Amino acid sequence: MALAWQDYLTKILIDETRLQARIKEMGQQISVDYADKDLLLLCILKGGVLFLTDLMRQISIPLEIDFLAVSSYDKGARSSTGVVRILKDLEQPIYKRHVLIVEDIIDSGYTLAYIAQMLSARKPASIKICTLLDKKERREVNIAVDYVGFDIPNEYVFGYGLDLDEKFRNLPFIGIAKAV
Ligand code: IMP
Ligand code: MG
């Protein structure tokens, strides 16, 4: 039998109640900040998908969504390679759109720095970053993050969209993984 998430968990870092309460606040803030703008939420697959679906339910203004799939890890690895591959591009042009990138976690920053630069070249009206988690201690490239759910310590986390070797994205909380 495959191992269960309990076998990999050190402890729960952010439980479901805290996650949802913070996401509600973030949604309310975004609704105010973008009240007079035509908002496009751009979800980074796969990790951002749970965050996107909960966040968008807490935003009260009209919005559209689109998806970008990237890969910055080698399979099984626990840190970015720095080389980002686009696995799926956006469906629509973002020229003159107000784009808010929705990401699960910022670690070294390489992934978002690459994505932000690539998207800026398409001349959106604005481009901002909303991340659920920020592992600031690990930052290697300087990027401006506009909305942060939680600052977290330098630990490998999983659940709520984040994977452990592609598994356990479905958990409704964020847990700290055992060291390997
Ligand atoms: P960065 O390029 O180092 O900032 O890595 C960002 C990407 O790595 C995120 O979008 C996540 O998919 C993944 N990642 C970084 N830290 C973790 C973690 O602790 N657990 C799961 N995935 C992570
Ligand atoms: Mg990942």
Side-chain angles (χ1 to χ4, degrees):
M1 250 256 300
L3 288 172
W5 60 264
Q6 287 89 343
D7 299 312
Y8 296 97
L9 184 77
T10 303
K11 67 164 190 171
I12 292 179
L13 182 65
I14 310 167
D15 68 18
E16 187 172 1
T17 307
R18 269 184 77 205
L19 268 180
Q20 295 301 333
R22 180 70 186 120
I23 292 167
K24 185 172 185 176
E25 288 176 356
M26 297 174 87
Q28 289 170 344
Q29 185 65 53
I30 290 165
S31 305
V32 172
D33 295 350
Y34 286 86
D36 56 351
K37 298 194 175 79
D38 190 14
L39 175 61
L40 176 65
L41 294 179
L42 200 172
C43 175
I44 312 296
L45 297 174
K46 306 170 200 166
V49 74
L50 272 72
F51 182 37
L52 172 81
T53 56
D54 283 335
L55 181 68
M56 64 190 280
R57 275 179 274 204
Q58 301 296 344
I59 298 178
S60 54
I61 58 169
L63 60 83
E64 291 176 38
I65 60 171
D66 205 342
F67 298 89
L68 183 70
V70 301
S71 167
S72 49
Y73 281 18
D74 288 330
K75 195 178 161 15
R78 285 188 176 189
S79 62
S80 252
T81 53
V83 179
V84 180
R85 281 190 303 140
I86 303 295
L87 306 178
K88 180 209 167 291
D89 203 343
L90 301 176
E91 280 175 13
Q92 46 181 314
I94 55 168
Y95 179 64
K96 290 194 173 168
R97 300 295 309 267
H98 290 283
V99 177
L100 182 59
I101 298 176
V102 177
E103 173 68 306
D104 53 356
I105 186 167
I106 308 181
D107 188 29
S108 69
Y110 283 125
T111 306
L112 267 183
Y114 180 90
I115 291 171
Q117 190 201 33
M118 177 189 90
L119 296 178
S120 299
R122 301 180 190 183
K123 305 265 187 286
S126 70
I127 182 159
K128 290 192 173 189
I129 294 172
C130 175
T131 186
L132 180 64
L133 308 175
D134 192 352
K135 247 192 248 180
K136 283 207 174 67
E137 222 182 290
R138 297 251 307 170
R139 199 61 42 80
E140 288 178 34
V141 284
N142 208 7
I143 43 167
V145 186
D146 304 280
Y147 303 91
V148 177
F150 301 88
D151 284 312
I152 66 161
N154 181 12
E155 308 265 14
Y156 196 86
V157 292
F158 68 101
Y160 199 74
L162 295 119
D163 70 302
L164 203 54
D165 207 5
E166 288 302 325
K167 296 206 173 51
F168 311 129
R169 296 188 194 272
N170 53 312
L171 300 174
F173 54 81
I174 305 278
I176 297 181
K178 286 182 183 161
V180 281

